[in-house]
Amino acid sequence: MIGLFTREIEYEYPHPPLSIHILIFVEDAIRYAWNILRQLPPSSFDLQTASEKKITLALLNVLEKLRQTNVLDGFNSINFETTSREGNLTNYNGKHPDKEPDLVFRLCEIREGTQKLQDGVITECKPIDGNHPVGSSYCKAGLIRFVNGAYAWAMQSGLMIGYVCGNYSIYPKLSDALQKDHRIYNTKKMPYICQNSKILKKEPTVYVSIHGRKWEYPSTGKKAQTIEIRHLWLKVKD
């Protein structure tokens, strides 16, 4: 019996792309949870003064209630496991075993050829305000992790969430930052509106940027493909 567990499992890198429906389920749940935090915040929680970690924890708590109660189509315990927060994951070559993406939305389904721990909507959250500029906080301390193989290295997409306080918008703030340092982020496509978000009239709108990755998968020697980063910016206040 022991031999059954020592046999090498062949994983497919990158993993097959996630269905757009799965991505939209997650984004809809985040929008819904955010509205709850704004309108019915927990006692002693102030969205406008809370730290990034406290906001993410409060968001996670609402998301988990939504997942368990089947309030939203698709975002439920049939499709998704409990969302994890800051769980340790390795980077692409295993040299850094304690990478901690803010949120990971894992599927209940075990997709063929995928490494379960690395399979899902891997999400990084960053504040955006006068003290946390888009270029330094959101990009250099967040987005870059998807490009350099720290986060979502097995995936073809990842999600960035911005907690926005002030007059900041993806276009032109994010576009300007990526244009300025396009070589750092190996930007192949500047942020553009996700057509599914546009067609379904989802607000706030999700934008997408495409980035090249310059490393190889150690197990295969294959060059990593580009990664699609989805951007969802949430207003702390209007």
Side-chain angles (χ1 to χ4, degrees):
M1 291 296 293
I2 293 176
L4 293 176
F5 296 96
T6 59
R7 189 167 50 201
E8 185 71 20
I9 298 175
E10 295 294 333
Y11 294 125
E12 179 182 345
Y13 296 124
H15 291 176
L18 292 171
S19 161
I20 186 62
H21 300 294
I22 289 296
L23 298 172
I24 289 175
F25 289 156
V26 169
E27 291 157 7
D28 279 350
I30 292 169
R31 292 185 184 96
Y32 196 97
W34 189 255
N35 285 333
I36 291 175
L37 281 184
R38 290 189 53 168
Q39 298 170 19
L40 298 169
S43 59
S44 73
F45 175 79
D46 185 344
L47 185 59
Q48 296 185 28
T49 60
S51 66
E52 173 200 333
K53 285 185 178 292
K54 288 184 177 179
I55 293 174
T56 303
L57 179 58
L59 183 63
L60 173 63
N61 289 336
V62 179
L63 285 166
E64 184 56 17
K65 290 178 181 178
L66 293 176
R67 188 189 70 87
Q68 292 183 30
T69 53
N70 298 330
V71 172
L72 298 174
D73 289 340
F75 190 76
N76 52 41
S77 56
I78 297 174
N79 288 328
F80 294 93
E81 297 180 354
T82 299
T83 305
S84 64
R85 172 178 168 267
E86 295 186 348
N88 289 349
L89 292 174
T90 64
N91 73 325
Y92 78 96
N93 60 14
K95 292 183 178 180
H96 301 282
D98 296 320
K99 296 300 180 182
E100 297 180 342
D102 287 319
L103 298 169
V104 179
F105 300 85
R106 289 192 180 89
L107 306 181
C108 291
E109 173 191 6
I110 299 177
R111 301 196 298 155
E112 184 177 357
T114 63
Q115 186 177 348
K116 181 66 171 171
L117 285 176
Q118 297 287 350
D119 197 48
V121 183
I122 296 177
T123 306
E124 182 71 356
C125 308
K126 289 296 176 189
I128 298 170
D129 54 39
N131 295 320
H132 302 89
V134 174
S136 57
S137 176
Y138 187 87
C139 292
K140 290 183 179 178
L143 174 62
I144 190 64
R145 295 170 181 171
F146 292 95
V147 179
N148 64 18
Y151 293 169
W153 54 267
M155 305 303 297
Q156 298 188 45
S157 62
L159 176 62
M160 285 289 302
I161 295 176
Y163 301 143
V164 181
C165 187
N167 187 27
Y168 299 92
S169 58
I170 292 176
Y171 183 84
K173 287 295 183 181
L174 177 58
S175 301
D176 288 348
L178 291 180
Q179 181 65 49
K180 179 181 178 182
D181 292 321
H182 65 94
R183 288 188 177 87
I184 294 176
Y185 306 109
N186 203 12
T187 307
K188 302 302 183 183
K189 284 190 179 181
M190 289 294 172
Y192 59 92
I193 294 176
C194 171
Q195 286 303 301
N196 290 280
S197 187
K198 181 179 180 180
I199 292 170
L200 297 174
K201 298 181 179 178
K202 302 292 186 179
E203 293 291 342
T205 303
V206 168
Y207 280 67
V208 178
S209 60
I210 308 293
H211 305 268
R213 297 186 283 186
K214 298 181 179 180
W215 41 269
E216 297 178 347
Y217 293 104
S219 61
T220 64
K222 290 171 57 179
K223 186 180 183 301
Q225 296 179 4
T226 58
I227 185 168
E228 171 191 279
I229 303 299
R230 300 174 67 82
H231 304 270
L232 179 58
W233 286 19
L234 307 169
K235 281 281 190 181
V236 171
K237 61 179 180 179
D238 294 320

